[in-house]
Amino acid sequence: MAVLSRCIQDAFDALLGRGMPAPVDAVRDAAWAPDAPWAWCPACGCTGGGCASCGGAVGGARVAGPTTVIRLGAHAGELRDWVIAVKHAKWESMGELLGAELGRQLARCGVVSQAAQGTVLVPVPTPWIRVRERGIDHARLLATAAARTLGTGVARPLRQLARGTLGDRAARAGRSAQRARFSLRASPGRCRAPIAGRHAVIVDDVRTTGSTLAEVASWLRWLGAARIDAAVATVAAPAPECGQTVGTSTQGAASPCGVLRHHL
């Protein structure tokens, strides 16, 4: 019902010349379509069938992040603008459309089948202060729409610490930021229940260095996930020094072990 209400509101806004355009109109006018399945490196999501860094092979010796990365496209052009508008302009209806398309892309790539049993989508947590400021949890919106399309569930076992944002800024300033950004949302037992033995798909809007996906994957692995993949709306161009193997970030993922003492 909420999705229908947002679509109706968007239609009225577009008719009256206010607010954001209807997502279907924006997609049609841009003649946009998602990338063909596996037209990117399956290991890191970079443009091309297989990047020089990781070779595009699935199943490397080091396993720090998700097994595969599914994407709708590169972080450029109209798609980039839409993703930014979802997060910063609270364009919920576009988030719904991109999330649904992400679910279909997972199915097209054979990573998740329709109404798959044992699969759960896990949105990358956003700090509560960012959700409050923006009025939207963009990753959760994408994951919910994708799950609705696939007929699967959504699990939220983690929360992002507010200091994670500060850590990201410190990293960009050249300082160390290896503190864990995530922690369990509840007790280990309650967080493990929807994850253990299941296929977990991490959902986010943009993959840049891969460090966020790697850290979330580390937590999900500790919670007992049988397989971990990732689905993102866009993938930014890798840095020149990118030397990733399959699912591994050059920045490294903080281990959950260092912060579990707060939950045990």
Side-chain angles (χ1 to χ4, degrees):
M1 193 65 179
V3 177
L4 179 60
S5 297
R6 282 197 290 270
C7 291
I8 294 174
Q9 184 62 55
D10 283 344
F12 274 111
D13 287 343
L15 184 63
L16 297 175
R18 66 189 186 194
M20 306 299 288
V24 291
D25 292 339
V27 170
R28 183 194 62 235
D29 293 345
W32 176 83
D35 288 348
W38 305 120
W40 59 87
C41 172
C44 65
C46 295
T47 299
C51 67
S53 303
C54 62
V58 176
R62 292 187 297 160
V63 181
T67 302
T68 61
V69 176
I70 306 302
R71 75 178 206 178
L72 293 181
H75 193 60
E78 290 88 353
L79 182 57
R80 171 187 176 276
D81 295 340
W82 298 337
V83 168
I84 292 174
V86 169
K87 181 189 294 186
H88 296 288
K90 197 182 175 183
W91 197 2
E92 293 180 299
S93 54
M94 178 57 84
E96 292 278 356
L97 184 149
L98 294 178
E101 194 60 54
L102 199 55
R104 287 188 283 270
Q105 189 77 312
L106 282 163
R108 284 191 291 263
C109 291
V111 174
V112 179
S113 59
Q114 296 285 342
Q117 297 297 317
T119 297
V120 62
L121 272 55
V122 180
V124 170
T126 302
W128 67 268
I129 192 169
R130 290 288 177 259
V131 176
R132 183 172 180 178
E133 287 175 353
R134 298 167 180 161
I136 188 172
D137 187 336
H138 57 286
R140 185 179 181 183
L141 178 66
L142 291 171
T144 301
R148 187 182 304 115
T149 299
L150 291 168
T152 59
V154 175
R156 300 170 61 219
L158 305 175
R159 65 186 178 95
Q160 184 170 167
L161 306 177
R163 69 167 180 259
T165 302
L166 298 177
D168 291 341
R169 291 173 181 170
R172 287 195 291 269
R175 297 187 295 272
S176 175
Q178 293 304 312
R179 293 180 300 177
R181 287 182 291 163
F182 303 98
S183 66
L184 297 181
R185 182 176 292 275
S187 67
R190 290 181 60 186
C191 292
R192 186 175 286 114
I195 302 296
R198 296 191 176 187
H199 175 202
V201 179
I202 306 168
V203 178
D204 205 0
D205 58 343
V206 184
R207 179 200 182 277
T208 50
T209 65
S211 60
T212 296
L213 296 181
E215 188 173 345
V216 172
S218 179
W219 276 104
L220 297 179
R221 195 168 291 110
W222 185 86
L223 290 172
R227 176 188 168 100
I228 303 169
D229 292 293
V232 296
T234 65
V235 174
E241 66 273 14
C242 174
Q244 296 172 322
T245 55
V246 176
T248 303
S249 167
T250 56
Q251 293 187 13
S255 169
C257 300
V259 293
L260 282 176
R261 64 175 66 92
H262 301 296
H263 302 278
L264 299 177

